[in-house]
Structures are given as structure tokens and as C-alpha cells.
């Protein structure tokens, strides 16, 4: 039985707390403790996971794997002040190098979940891609074993691949969500309820997931080079010069992409 | 029993053919005929709907409601050449005025489904918002009655509201799909499978649908003003000056939107 210690109490840590807390008690891994400087959040996550919580570095329990799930800029400083013994220490960030972990550690790794996590929202962790990196092959192997207990989608990737995945995630998640926000703002302007656009959001995602290439199923005025409709839309956006610019830019990109495929 | 005639054979017409063909035989409306100049597609849709097909204007059957579901620029010309008697004639386009239908018609209307339709993809039509407009109240009432037989989501909207909905749909569907396409292109560049981003696409849509405002659940480096990660991402996009520009533009918009809410 390998002991896990989870460090952090943000949304990613919460998702790990729930997933690790749900491991079979007789299985190969067990979450022993959550270390978090935020006592209220740490205690909450520990309750969710059914384990202990501490905010005292001196009370950190010995473990086989420490997962550091804190904000990108805090990883190095927090790791510096904790005694991990000879354990594996992995952070869970997408765009941060393994080298932010202190040099003195001999089993450094990364354990990055490619998903957007929201406090209080339950998701199926077995569907979450877990991207693994280990400074040494044995570290990667141990992290891969833990990952496969949590998810059906485990990949070993290089730092460069992981950084690219994080960048792609910004487009697929953050920028996509901003497109939804713009659509809802446009509806609100004309007194229309935001839910009207819901079935379209659902189907657009479902359609893209059902085919290997989103570019191949692109539709709309930009895709078919329908200048007349585009002009109408730019007219409607007259009070929003920044949205006009965005509309033109993305439309041009869609048109140029469509010529390549 | 009111008779419906469907004109057109594109993706929107196909969705209507399936929905209208699925109406209860003893109900208030029945699809009698599909008129389409593309014989192969017209015949296919008629088979799907279980009705007749013609490509001969002289064979157009009398009906109570004609739905014209052809490309935006063809609506006027096609309507000009057909004899609709005294029936209701409605087009199904989002960004086209009711006035493109010939003046001689006395019961003009619009019957716009706010959804993206793909040939061969089945969707639950009862979830599709149907946006109704009628030149006269009785036309709107008749179209609303038909719409409520097909969908649970029926709204009477003005031409201006409909145009705005169509514009919002471009952001929520076409532009969103392009964000997916960019993400997949970035993965492919580093030899990563496009499906890796699938769970994130799903969850981003599900999360936005589960709350009244997408802007309120925005996450990511742009939302939290994380310049360091943004600089890394711009570095990764060095070979893609247009994507760099898009990245900066959308990030700025997200940051500015977050200050407003």
C-alpha cells in the first residue's frame, strides 16, 4: 500500500481529494493526509476525502508520493519548506516545468489533469486525461500506476507536449467559454434569455466530439464565404468595436483554415 | 388537419423533414410534400419523412403552410416562381428579413430553428428553440401552433431580435468550433491525439449550461491576469503570428469582461 499526501486546497486539489478519497480502501494507494495552509479549505477537502488535514509543516506525514496542487507561482516556495524524505514529489500544473521543484529532490515528477475544475462540481474523474512526466523512468512508472487507478486516460508526455496541451486547453476551454459569454451578452442586449443559446452550445460540443476534426465540420457564414451575412453582423456590432474586430479576425481565420483542409 | 409543404433539401430542410415526418398521423399538421430542385436529396428527404417529393413547380401541392428552407440568397427567387395560393409562406433563415418573400403574398412569416444541423446527425428537435415571426398576428399564431407541435421551446421574436440571435449563434457555435479546431491543430503539431481535449470540451459546455452566466464561471490565465503563463503561451505560438494576435485579443477581452462583472 503506497501512501499519498495531497498538498493544496484549490479547485484542482479538491478534484484530486475526491478522486483519491474514492480509491478502494484495500487498493494499492491510499490518501493519508491533506496539507493546506488555508485551514478552512484544507479541513473541508479532508472531510470530502475522508483523511486528516494539517497546516503545520512539522506535522506532514511520511508518504510515498506527494502531489503538490497549488497555484503555479507557489509550487517552488511551498516545496522548499517541506520535508519529503526520499519520496516522489509531483506538481499538477500544465505550464510549469518539473524544475521548479527543488533540486535536492531525487524523484521529481508532474501529474497534470487536463480538465477544468470548479469547486462543488462533480465530474467523472475516470474520463480526465492524466498527463505524466517523471525525471527518471521509475518515477514516471510509479506516477503512471497511481494515474491508472484514477483515470482510464493516462499518457506520458514531455514538458513541451504538456505545455502545448495547456495552451490548447486555453483555446478549447477559456476562449470557448468567452465565446459563450459574448453570445449571452448579445442576447441580453435585446432582452432575450441566455438559455436560448443552450441547445446550440451542447450540440456544437457534441458534434465536434463525434468527429476526429472540428475544422472538418465547421459551418456558418465565415466557412461559406457569405460576405453579405458577415456585413449584417458587423453592422449589428456597431456599438462594440472590439467585438467587430474579433468577429473579422476569427472569420478570416475560419475562411483560411477551410482552404487548407 | 393542416397540410405542410417543405421547400429545400439542405441540412436545415433535412432536420425539418425528420421532425415534420415524425408528427402523429392523427395530429393537427401533416407534411404532404417536399419540393426540391436537387432530385436526389429531395427524394432522400421525402423517404426520411415518409411523403412525396417533386422538383416540378407545376406539381407543387396545395398546402396551408409552406416552409422555405433554402440558402439565404435563394429564398426570394424560389418563392417568386411558385404558386402558394393564399397559404402562409415562411422562410427558416436567421438573418434574412421576412420582406425577401414576394410582396404579393399576404401571409408571410419566419420559422427559424436556432441550432446547427448536420446531414445524418440526429438531434432532439423538441429541444430546438423555434423563433417565430408573422407579418400579421394570425400568421404568427398559426406558425406558433405548428412550432409547438415540434418543439418545447417556441418564442415570437422581432426581426431585430432574430438577427441578434443569429449573430450570437455565430459566436456560440461557429467561433467556438474554430477554438476547438485551433486546439486540435496545436495538439497535432506535437503528435498528440485530438481526443485528448474531448473531456475538456464537454465539461466546458456542461459547466456553462449549468449556470446563468458563462462570464461568471470564466477561468484561466487571462481571467486571473497571469501574465507569466500568457507570455509562455505567446512563445509557443511563435510560428503562428495570427494565433498570437488572436490569443492576445481574446485574453484582453476576458480580462476586461471580468472587471465588469
Amino acid at each position: 500500500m503506497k501512501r499519498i499526501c495531497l498538498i493544496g486546497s484549490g479547485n484542482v486539489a479538491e478534484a484530486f481529494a475526491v478522486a483519491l478519497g474514492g480509491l478502494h480502501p484495500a487498493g494499492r494507494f491510499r490518501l493519508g493526509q491533506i496539507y493546506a495552509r488555508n485551514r478552512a479549505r484544507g479541513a473541508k477537502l479532508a472531510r470530502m476525502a475522508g483523511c486528516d488535514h494539517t497546516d503545520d509543516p512539522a506535522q506532514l506525514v511520511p508518504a510515498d508520493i506527494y502531489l503538490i496542487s497549488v497555484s503555479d507561482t507557489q509550487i517552488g516556495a511551498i516545496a522548499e519548506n517541506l520535508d519529503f524524505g526520499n519520496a516522489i514529489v509531483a506538481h499538477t500544473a500544465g505550464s510549469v516545468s518539473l524544475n521548479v521543484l527543488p533540486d535536492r529532490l531525487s524523484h521529481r515528477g508532474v501529474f497534470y489533469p487536463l480538465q477544468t475544475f470548479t469547486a462543488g462540481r462533480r465530474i467523472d474523474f475516470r474520463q480526465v486525461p492524466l498527463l505524466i512526466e517523471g525525471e527518471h523512468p521509475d518515477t514516471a512508472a510509479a506516477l503512471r500506476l497511481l494515474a491508472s487507478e484514477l483515470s482510464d486516460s493516462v499518457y506520458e508526455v514531455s514538458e513541451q507536449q504538456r505545455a502545448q496541451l495547456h495552451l490548447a486547453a486555453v483555446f478549447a476551454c477559456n476562449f470557448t467559454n468567452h465565446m459563450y459569454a459574448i453570445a449571452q451578452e448579445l442576447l441580453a442586449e435585446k432582452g432575450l434569455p441566455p438559455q436560448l443559446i443552450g441547445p446550440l452550445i451542447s450540440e456544437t460540443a457534441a458534434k465536434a466530439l463525434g468527429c476526429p476534426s472540428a475544422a472538418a465540420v465547421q459551418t456558418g457564414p465565415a466557412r461559406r464565404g457569405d460576405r453579405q451575412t458577415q456585413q449584417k453582423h458587423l453592422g449589428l456590432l456597431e456599438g462594440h468595436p472590439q467585438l467587430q474586430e474579433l468577429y473579422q479576425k476569427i472569420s478570416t481565420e475560419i475562411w483560411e483554415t477551410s482552404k487548407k483542409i
Side-chain angles (χ1 to χ4, degrees), chain A residues 5-233:
Chain A
C5 175
L6 177 63
I7 296 165
S9 64
N11 295 345
V12 178
E14 179 175 319
F16 274 121
V18 173
L20 291 165
L23 287 175
H24 196 282
R28 283 184 285 196
F29 297 93
R30 195 175 67 82
L31 178 61
Q33 187 185 51
I34 292 172
Y35 169 86
R37 291 179 301 183
N38 181 327
R39 290 180 86 154
R41 282 283 300 166
K44 186 181 173 195
L45 266 54
R47 270 196 310 277
M48 294 167 93
C51 71
D52 290 334
H53 160 247
T54 187
D55 61 346
D56 177 3
Q59 301 295 319
L60 195 73
V61 294
D64 299 287
I65 301 177
Y66 292 89
L67 292 181
I68 305 185
S69 209
V70 300
S71 38
D72 294 4
T73 52
Q74 296 297 308
I75 298 169
I78 284 180
E80 203 55 70
N81 290 317
L82 293 174
D83 177 10
F84 299 116
N86 196 35
I88 291 174
V89 180
H91 74 64
T92 64
S95 67
V96 174
S97 165
L98 175 153
N99 295 314
V100 303
L101 294 168
D103 268 345
R104 65 176 157 86
L105 300 174
S106 41
H107 306 288
R108 301 187 294 182
V110 181
F111 202 79
Y112 169 51
L114 182 62
Q115 185 51 285
T116 176
F117 298 106
T118 310
R121 248 188 94 81
R122 284 290 169 276
I123 55 153
D124 178 4
F125 209 92
R126 294 218 69 84
Q127 307 279 327
V128 176
L130 286 175
L131 293 320
I132 302 302
E133 190 188 343
E135 195 168 5
H136 303 298
D138 57 340
T139 309
L143 290 175
R144 181 183 267 276
L145 202 63
L146 171 60
S148 62
E149 294 280 319
L150 299 173
S151 168
D152 296 325
S153 178
V154 179
Y155 298 82
E156 209 172 318
V157 298
S158 68
E159 180 175 332
Q160 289 69 30
Q161 286 179 314
R162 179 162 47 85
Q164 190 88 346
L165 277 161
H166 188 252
L167 170 62
V170 165
F171 281 92
C173 171
N174 306 150
F175 290 0
T176 284
N177 189 72
H178 189 58
M179 298 301 127
Y180 301 160
I182 293 171
Q184 290 177 342
E185 182 195 342
L186 291 170
L187 297 194
E189 257 178 29
K190 300 284 179 194
L192 294 159
Q195 311 89 272
L196 258 178
I197 212 83
L200 183 62
I201 286 175
S202 267
E203 171 63 7
T204 302
K207 194 200 292 195
L209 294 176
C211 72
S213 154
V217 295
Q218 183 66 54
T219 58
R223 171 66 183 83
R224 60 178 187 269
D226 175 352
R227 288 275 177 195
Q228 204 177 330
T229 301
Q230 291 178 57
Q231 284 309 317
K232 278 185 205 172
H233 286 167

